[in-house]
Amino acid sequence: MQKVMNAPECPECAAPVSIDADARVSEIVECLDCRSELEISSVTPPSLTLAPEVEEDWGE
Amino acid sequence: MRSGRRLAVLASRVRFEEKQIMAALDRRGATSVHLDPRSLVVADGVSRTDFVLNREVGHYRALYAASALESAGATVLNSAAATHVSGDKWLTTSALLAAGLPTPRTALAMTPEAAVDALDQIGYPAVVKPLVGSWGRLVTALPDRPTATAVLEHVAALPSPQQHVVYVQELVEKADRDIRVLVVGGEALGATYRRGDEWRTNVARGAVSTRCDLTDVHTKLAVAAADAVGAEIAGVDLLEDADGHLTVLEVNDRVEFRGFQDAHEIDVADAIASYVLRRAGA
């Protein structure tokens, strides 16, 4: 999968995080440096926030 | 889609499944929007969308968003009623029993103390499950009465009144696997075995999906179970006991299918997208 050129910073450890070219808002990615779970908050320009913690009623 | 109808995918968390479904809708030329329930407000009976595929990961947000959108005139798939039933283990059991479908022996006790008596009737080993929840979370095996008594003391200390209504069930002696059947629009797409290192065979707990040959019995049970809870798109979990008898364990109305899709050559996301567009009048 093609990666975006301008990798946004991880909000936890500031490492650059590669995201797919077909990324979508609210998609979950992982920082490969600190293993934080991150949410794509914007695609253009790419930006990340810490993903919400799993809640008790989450599931399928 | 009928002229002017607006299609949305409701999801706060875009996982593999949601991304695949959105991509499948795009490939089919559908104009859809991503609706994030974290910023959703439905007021004065007005909805900005006409047809909503509900993929929200949080049960309560999924349920109330669906209800609010339906009250504003939108069609939601699965319906709020289906999410209400399939998201609650007791309501699911009740619907399965009403439909005459086989399901493990279950009791609902109105207090943790009464649950001890209920377990005496069901027998051990048994299992206690939260009414709402998924991925096997807090599902606890009860091998004997002393263990049950201790676990139920912990249940009594939980803060929510709903948590004091206790769902207990026989622990079905099974192989190290269960069977997941995926149903879309009244048709079974296929089945997988889910095997894990522990007795809870949830993929979220590390269980692995492998292809299972779909039989007529699987199909009949799964389609009937999905229909019993009113779910048009569903992942139905079946258990096979030591004698080979199948029972319906639960129905998942916002089904995860990554493991299923890896085990099959079936494009589940496209099957869901196709059904959504058909239902939406495309």
Side-chain angles (χ1 to χ4, degrees):
Chain A
M1 181 65 68
Q2 186 186 357
K3 304 289 183 179
V4 296
M5 296 302 291
N6 298 319
E9 279 190 358
C10 171
E12 187 73 3
C13 73
V17 179
S18 292
I19 59 174
D20 293 340
D22 66 347
R24 293 180 183 264
V25 171
S26 302
E27 188 176 335
I28 302 299
V29 295
E30 186 182 45
C31 172
L32 296 180
D33 274 42
C34 71
R35 296 293 174 188
S36 292
E37 198 176 51
L38 307 171
E39 177 180 336
I40 298 173
S41 52
S42 167
V43 172
T44 314
S47 66
L48 300 163
T49 58
L50 285 174
E53 296 287 328
V54 174
E55 295 188 51
E56 199 174 296
D57 71 333
W58 280 20
E60 55 171 335
Chain B
M1 175 160 299
R2 284 202 296 271
S3 175
R5 294 205 83 189
R6 295 157 298 182
L7 170 66
V9 177
L10 182 79
S12 62
R13 191 176 173 91
V14 174
R15 301 164 292 176
F16 169 85
E17 288 84 357
E18 287 73 35
K19 192 172 179 182
Q20 295 282 312
I21 291 169
M22 290 175 185
L25 288 167
D26 288 347
R27 282 196 303 273
R28 286 178 169 271
T31 303
S32 65
V33 295
H34 170 214
L35 188 59
D36 189 334
R38 292 172 295 183
S39 56
L40 175 65
V41 175
V42 181
D44 303 322
V46 176
S47 168
R48 293 181 181 175
T49 56
D50 302 300
F51 197 96
V52 179
L53 176 66
N54 193 349
R55 294 289 316 177
E56 168 53 21
V57 70
H59 169 68
Y60 289 108
R61 218 154 40 198
L63 174 60
Y64 285 99
S67 176
L69 289 163
E70 285 177 356
S71 73
T75 300
V76 183
L77 198 66
N78 287 305
S79 68
T83 297
H84 179 56
V85 175
S86 58
D88 181 297
K89 290 189 173 57
W90 171 252
L91 296 180
T92 298
T93 294
S94 181
L96 294 173
L97 291 172
L101 294 171
T103 192
R105 290 187 67 208
T106 302
L108 191 69
M110 298 305 133
T111 63
E113 295 78 15
V116 178
D117 296 332
L119 285 161
D120 284 340
Q121 293 173 36
I122 286 178
Y124 294 96
V127 61
V128 59
K129 301 179 178 181
L131 286 172
V132 172
S134 193
W135 301 335
R137 191 188 305 111
L138 297 179
V139 172
T140 307
L142 305 172
D144 50 41
R145 202 173 198 272
T147 306
T149 304
V151 168
L152 291 166
E153 283 177 12
H154 285 276
V155 170
L158 294 173
S160 165
Q162 192 204 35
Q163 291 167 315
H164 299 160
V165 177
V166 184
Y167 179 97
V168 290
Q169 192 170 63
E170 68 171 315
L171 180 61
V172 176
E173 295 291 341
K174 62 181 173 72
D176 62 342
R177 68 188 191 197
D178 68 5
I179 298 168
R180 162 67 60 90
V181 183
L182 230 142
V183 177
V184 177
E187 292 182 17
L189 294 186
T192 53
Y193 292 120
R194 303 188 307 169
R195 289 186 174 85
D197 292 334
E198 61 159 301
W199 64 281
R200 292 174 292 184
T201 41
N202 302 87
V203 172
R205 312 203 79 83
V208 175
S209 297
T210 57
R211 186 173 178 152
C212 165
D213 289 333
L214 188 69
T215 68
D216 288 346
V217 179
H218 296 151
T219 298
K220 191 175 174 185
L221 271 181
V223 169
D227 186 57
V229 303
E232 296 175 63
I233 300 170
V236 180
D237 294 342
L238 307 176
L239 290 180
E240 192 174 24
D241 69 17
D243 297 324
H245 297 122
L246 286 167
T247 58
V248 182
L249 189 63
E250 61 182 59
V251 183
N252 300 281
D253 69 300
R254 285 156 286 129
V255 59
E256 295 167 343
F257 53 78
R258 187 171 195 164
F260 182 99
Q261 192 152 293
D262 287 346
H264 284 272
E265 293 176 358
I266 300 167
D267 187 342
V268 178
D270 189 65
I272 291 173
S274 171
Y275 182 68
V276 164
L277 293 174
R278 200 159 70 240
R279 281 281 281 107

